Amino acid sequence: MTDSTKLYKKFYILFQVIGLALIYFVYYWIVVYRGGFSFTVPKIIFNWHPLLMTIAFIYLFANAILHYRTFPNNKKQNLKNQHAFIHGCIIILIVIASFAAFVSHQYAVPKIPHLYSLHSWLGVITIVMFLSQFISGLWCFLYPGVAAQHRETLAPYHVFFGISIFTLAVATSVLGFTEKIIFALDDKYKLLPLDAVLGNILGIVCVLYCILVVYMITKPEFKRSPKLEYETLIK
């Protein structure tokens, strides 16, 4: 095992600890301070939105981005299939999370307008970019008719836009946490009660998590060594 591999494993453990802790504390924040979860009460139905988006667009998306570096000894075709599968799971969670937001707005009393905030606008842009990236990735890297030289040319752009979309997703999430705190607390926000403190910390952790992921994906020493496409990769 090389020094770079050992260092990556240490960063990967930190990455997983922070990611899972983030999901847990979002769940804790919602249960303790935001009323928990429901399938029938419009105001509480919304609470599925931040939890599922955190799981999908932050934790799972980050794992998908790092997947090739995390399992360098797997066959490349298997890595491609697993990468696409994770993205498919993300899409399912995004659909459910978006549905929860729309239902909670539609049936709230009084009714809450849809897609008026900067958070929602960036959210739509992020989802559209993610779906475009997913579809183009399926065509470029899994469709057998695409020549290898085209895949090699397109791969850097696929990586660049993947990192860009992830960064945009984190920025959108931070705005979402802020928006939720402001709406829930109104004038009490400036007094910084415990739920506001926790909400702010969640936003900061998202940013730090994003920095960690971008560092791990851009550090040259962590890059997966090119091997034959369909052979078992052996160091």
Side-chain angles (χ1 to χ4, degrees), residues 5-16:
T5 303
K6 293 178 181 177
L7 182 60
Y8 179 85
K9 288 185 178 296
K10 292 179 181 178
F11 274 109
Y12 184 74
I13 292 171
L14 178 63
F15 158 79
Q16 289 293 347

Side-chain angles (χ1 to χ4, degrees), residues 108-157:
V109 180
K111 182 179 176 180
I112 302 173
H114 298 294
L115 302 176
Y116 67 90
S117 67
L118 178 60
H119 166 71
S120 61
W121 288 15
L122 288 179
V124 171
I125 293 171
T126 304
I127 292 172
V128 170
M129 290 180 65
F130 180 85
L131 292 176
S132 301
Q133 174 88 337
F134 178 70
I135 294 170
S136 63
L138 287 179
W139 180 78
C140 293
F141 302 106
L142 285 179
Y143 182 68
V146 179
Q149 63 267 27
H150 297 316
R151 292 174 178 168
E152 185 176 353
T153 301
L154 293 171
Y157 297 98

